[in-house]
Amino acid sequence: MQSLIPSLVCIVSLLFTTVTHAKQVSVHDPVMAKEGNTFYLFSTGPGITFYSSTDMHNWKEEGRVFPGEPAWAKKAAPTFNDHIWAPDISFHDGKYYLYYSVSGFGKNTSGIGVTTNATLNPRAANYQWQDQGMVLQSIPGRDNWNAIDPNIVDDSSGTPWMSFGSFWSGIKLVKLDASRTRLAEPQAWHTIAQRTRPAGIPDDEAGPAEIEAPHILKKNGYYYLFVSWGLCCKKEASTYHVMMGRSKDVTGPYLDRTGKDMARGGGSLLIEGNAQWKGVGHNSAYTIDGKDLLVMHAYETADNYLQKLKILDMRWDKDGWPAVDPQDLNRYQSRQQP
């Protein structure tokens, strides 16, 4: 029996090494939904990359949503290269709505579209994405806003609103019609968050007013607006961090902890990067099975700043503001299954 002990030690050591060095899920701009007992994760990538999991730790790559490219993509964004940006997933009246954006990097030659499905399970008999086309487009020289980074929230009467935007004049909110695939008429638009854009920046340039990736969570009688300030995609120079405000009304004003309107440059910090993790941001937020979760990406310094999935528990302080533990950036480890 004693002769078996070294072998058992080696096996346990090998298993521990395999687990601790398992490939993590590498995503940008993750969003998540749960159907049945399975979580589905969607992210920026060729055709929209998506994954499935039953525990939010072990993820199976399921391929891509679009087998080709959206029919309208190159017309709205001539430099579109098959990478679909910043999806958003929502469920309404028996149907899933997956919003997405196409763009040229650093340009507001952009468009937001939506595709629908009865299920998220790619092995279900009724699984079929049906693209509903473009919802919204930004055109340089006409629009001083950028049609990317959509997120859908229903107000207290069940009316859907889409927040979106990046740089330029900040984060916009526009009402959708009952189909959830088109703008409501007459159109209702609001600016809900922005940063100061210096005078003299040409309209066709993003400029330094770094704000994007809105996500609105309805909770505790408030609408909580999360946005990312700073720069993504710059490896060690990435400065993404998550800022927040809240409002009693979906259209705002969204005020930070000090009472400053986010439409006037306000915002309170929720989480930022550290020495181990850079570019922390482009989050989504959910209440699932009674737990409040912050889902986002972060760049791991020790892995040449490769983007990694992070899912953090959100708690609430005595004043009703969400909080997360930055140490959870190290504690949460995703595992991509073969």
Side-chain angles (χ1 to χ4, degrees):
M1 178 63 69
Q2 288 187 354
S3 63
L4 293 177
I5 292 176
S7 297
L8 290 172
V9 170
C10 288
I11 291 171
V12 170
S13 176
L14 179 62
L15 288 173
F16 178 79
T17 300
T18 300
V19 170
T20 56
H21 289 86
K23 181 181 179 181
Q24 295 186 55
V25 176
S26 177
V27 292
H28 262 123
D29 320 324
V31 295
M32 189 171 70
K34 187 181 184 186
E35 182 183 7
N37 65 351
T38 303
F39 298 90
Y40 294 91
L41 187 78
F42 300 86
S43 80
T44 291
I48 306 179
T49 308
F50 77 111
Y51 298 80
S52 65
S53 173
T54 57
D55 60 7
M56 289 190 291
H57 285 276
N58 297 281
W59 294 93
K60 173 181 172 58
E61 186 170 0
E62 296 286 5
R64 51 187 286 164
V65 169
F66 283 91
E69 64 181 45
W72 58 273
K74 281 211 167 96
K75 183 177 180 181
T79 59
F80 175 68
N81 64 356
D82 195 39
H83 267 67
I84 298 177
W85 293 3
D88 182 65
I89 185 71
S90 62
F91 181 79
H92 175 74
D93 197 21
K95 187 184 298 183
Y96 289 94
Y97 294 76
L98 183 63
Y99 297 82
Y100 60 93
S101 44
V102 300
S103 184
F105 197 84
K107 298 293 183 183
N108 66 333
T109 307
S110 309
I112 291 170
V114 60
T115 184
T116 58
N117 205 329
T119 178
L120 300 180
N121 179 4
R123 283 163 285 283
N126 60 339
Y127 175 85
Q128 182 179 9
W129 289 106
Q130 296 181 327
D131 192 31
Q132 306 300 318
M134 185 169 61
V135 181
L136 181 69
Q137 181 179 10
S138 56
I139 298 175
R142 186 195 72 177
D143 304 314
N144 197 30
W145 41 266
N146 195 16
I148 66 169
D149 297 0
N151 171 247
I152 308 302
V153 63
D154 288 357
D155 66 16
S156 56
S157 66
T159 300
W161 293 80
M162 181 172 69
S163 61
F164 67 92
S166 173
F167 289 64
W168 280 274
S169 59
I171 305 304
K172 307 299 180 183
L173 184 79
V174 63
K175 185 188 293 186
L176 299 181
D177 70 11
S179 76
R180 298 177 177 252
T181 64
R182 298 292 180 265
L183 302 187
E185 298 291 347
Q187 294 183 14
W189 291 71
H190 302 268
T191 296
I192 57 174
Q194 63 181 328
R195 301 180 73 187
T196 301
R197 180 177 171 89
I201 302 294
D203 287 349
D204 64 348
E205 292 183 13
E210 301 160 355
I211 183 171
E212 57 190 12
H215 188 97
I216 298 174
L217 174 68
K218 188 164 57 174
K219 183 84 177 178
N220 303 327
Y222 284 99
Y223 298 89
Y224 290 86
L225 171 62
F226 304 92
V227 296
S228 293
W229 285 13
L231 296 170
C232 79
C233 320
K234 301 289 185 183
K235 292 195 171 184
E236 71 277 7
S238 300
T239 57
Y240 243 18
H241 54 289
V242 178
M243 305 292 284
M244 62 181 177
R246 67 185 183 187
S247 174
K248 287 288 189 178
D249 193 304
V250 70
T251 58
Y254 287 85
L255 307 181
D256 66 15
R257 286 178 178 271
T258 71
K260 187 173 183 180
D261 191 343
M262 292 182 74
R264 298 179 179 271
S268 296
L269 179 68
L270 177 62
I271 189 169
E272 61 186 339
N274 55 34
Q276 291 79 40
W277 299 97
K278 301 289 186 181
V280 174
H282 207 119
N283 74 281
S284 51
Y286 308 98
T287 300
I288 298 178
D289 297 336
K291 294 186 67 175
D292 297 314
L293 303 170
L294 191 74
V295 182
M296 60 188 176
H297 69 243
Y299 303 146
E300 188 173 17
T301 302
D303 195 10
N304 195 31
Y305 305 99
L306 184 64
Q307 62 271 10
K308 304 287 178 69
L309 171 66
K310 294 295 167 186
I311 301 178
L312 279 58
D313 289 334
M314 276 198 305
R315 299 168 303 282
W316 303 87
D317 68 17
K318 61 182 179 61
D319 298 315
W321 287 95
V324 293
D325 185 350
Q327 291 304 314
D328 284 345
L329 290 171
N330 291 317
R331 295 188 187 108
Y332 177 83
Q333 297 274 317
S334 65
R335 292 178 289 272
Q336 185 169 330
Q337 302 303 299

